[in-house]
Amino acid sequence: MTVVLENPVARVRWLAGPSSSQWVEQAIARPDLVLIDHAHCERKAAGVALQLMFRYPSDEELGGLLSALAREELEHFEQVLALLQRRGIPLKPLPAPAYGSSLSALVRKGEPQRMLDSFLVAGLIEARSHERMALLAAHSPDAELRELYGELLASEARHFGLYWVLCEQRFGREVTVERLEELAAAESEALRGDLPAPELVRMHSVGLA
Ligand SMILES: [Fe+2]
Ligand SMILES: [Fe+2]
């Protein structure tokens, strides 16, 4: 089956390159793995928000926004978990692709650069999740999955919007855009290549047009 994509990058200015139709085909072929991985992604997104709250504990504005974000991500986790349970799919651990760790490695060590990079990396991951969920919402042959992804889309768009606002407020547009362009190029680079085996498909496995 060949999937023809509309160009989602036009609507998501964060991403330097769009996902490939191969990724969509691989993901549609193994909905069980993508769902399990998706549950782990939601849990990790909540973890990232909490981690940032702990790193900057006296920042009230940040605390308030990230606390709400973490709760929302945990609700998404519960939603995906419930679907897995209804389908009798166990929430087994899955080896993660190199994507997340390769992006974390780009976060600079000293402040305030560390904060800017952490927000931008978190936002990029949200933006890619949003892009790929939109593709699954449009192309999955499974109506229940189309509905799930469609429902989660709006939140994920708000999430990268939130990280954008945090960056722009604290670092200004020019500095933010400049660093975002560098990190977005690296994010796309991290998704280049061919999937070595079908069972390694993930929400953030390789597959760039
Ligand atoms: Fe989420
Ligand atoms: Fe999110």
Side-chain angles (χ1 to χ4, degrees):
M1 161 190 186
T2 303
V3 171
V4 180
L5 308 181
E6 47 171 332
N7 178 7
V9 171
R11 283 175 279 121
V12 184
R13 66 184 158 173
W14 282 75
L15 301 178
S19 291
S20 61
S21 53
Q22 282 86 343
W23 178 81
V24 180
E25 288 159 19
Q26 290 157 356
I28 286 173
R30 295 304 307 267
D32 52 334
L33 292 177
V34 174
L35 265 182
I36 296 169
D37 184 54
H38 183 184
H40 292 309
C41 287
E42 297 290 3
R43 190 174 47 74
K44 280 186 234 172
V48 166
L50 286 177
Q51 213 178 13
L52 289 169
M53 285 175 74
F54 277 95
R55 195 193 293 167
Y56 308 107
S58 307
D59 193 321
E60 286 176 30
E61 190 211 12
L62 189 66
L65 291 170
L66 291 178
S67 173
L69 175 60
R71 274 189 287 121
E72 195 166 48
E73 299 293 20
L74 287 176
E75 276 171 22
H76 294 172
F77 169 74
E78 290 164 30
Q79 236 175 305
V80 181
L81 183 62
L83 182 61
L84 284 169
Q85 286 170 340
R86 280 203 302 280
R87 294 186 171 200
I89 304 171
L91 182 67
K92 62 177 182 183
L94 289 180
Y99 179 79
S101 53
S102 69
L103 288 181
S104 302
L106 299 172
V107 174
R108 290 168 291 181
K109 302 279 178 280
E111 295 294 359
Q113 293 86 355
R114 189 182 183 209
M115 179 189 262
L116 175 64
D117 290 0
S118 300
F119 289 169
L120 288 175
V121 163
L124 277 164
I125 297 172
E126 294 282 354
R128 184 63 69 185
S129 306
H130 175 270
E131 184 226 21
R132 290 193 162 180
M133 281 186 210
L135 291 171
L136 294 175
H139 299 288
S140 173
D142 181 327
E144 197 177 20
L145 292 184
R146 284 201 303 276
E147 195 184 330
L148 172 79
Y149 293 121
E151 201 186 318
L152 295 178
L153 270 183
S155 316
E156 303 311 339
R158 259 191 295 109
H159 297 168
F160 62 75
L162 182 148
Y163 281 117
W164 170 264
V165 169
L166 285 173
C167 290
E168 207 187 12
Q169 278 174 350
R170 283 148 199 256
F171 299 92
R173 173 168 280 261
E174 204 181 323
V175 171
T176 301
V177 169
E178 198 186 327
R179 185 58 177 154
L180 175 58
E181 280 173 2
E182 292 170 1
L183 291 173
E187 192 271 346
S188 282
E189 213 41 56
L191 291 177
R192 283 196 194 288
D194 295 314
L195 196 68
E199 65 273 15
L200 293 175
V201 68
R202 304 285 183 268
M203 197 56 92
H204 301 108
S205 54
V206 289
L208 214 69

